[in-house]
Amino acid sequence: MSEASEPVGVILAVDRGRFAEVVEALRRAGLTVTGEQPTVGTLSGTVAEDRIPALAAVDGVRAVDREQMNRIPPS
């Protein structure tokens, strides 16, 4: 039995001309959408880490980047 991978934050760039269609395909591929910016063709969301390659394979997706957390050390 395999363990499900943890959800991670992702930022995606998609084809602006097909934004709604691509977002729906990403949802079917496992993405939980947390923010959409259709005028610039980007969106953010969470997905199980092992599903990131499936998101990248969706027709109309130009880039998938994992969100990065930057922490500033206390002064």
Side-chain angles (χ1 to χ4, degrees):
M1 183 171 152
S2 65
E3 293 183 30
S5 67
E6 292 292 319
V8 295
V10 290
I11 299 171
L12 301 99
V14 304
D15 183 344
R16 286 186 307 164
R18 300 172 40 216
F19 190 83
E21 169 191 339
V22 176
V23 170
E24 182 55 35
L26 288 167
R27 285 187 167 113
R28 287 193 305 269
L31 180 69
T32 299
V33 177
T34 58
E36 297 181 24
Q37 302 79 38
T39 57
V40 293
T42 61
L43 66 145
S44 58
T46 59
V47 67
E49 189 166 18
D50 63 353
R51 298 292 300 161
I52 290 175
L55 298 183
V58 170
D59 187 31
V61 171
R62 299 187 186 280
V64 180
D65 291 317
R66 190 172 169 173
E67 283 184 336
Q68 300 290 320
M69 291 275 280
N70 294 320
R71 295 193 175 141
I72 299 172
S75 53

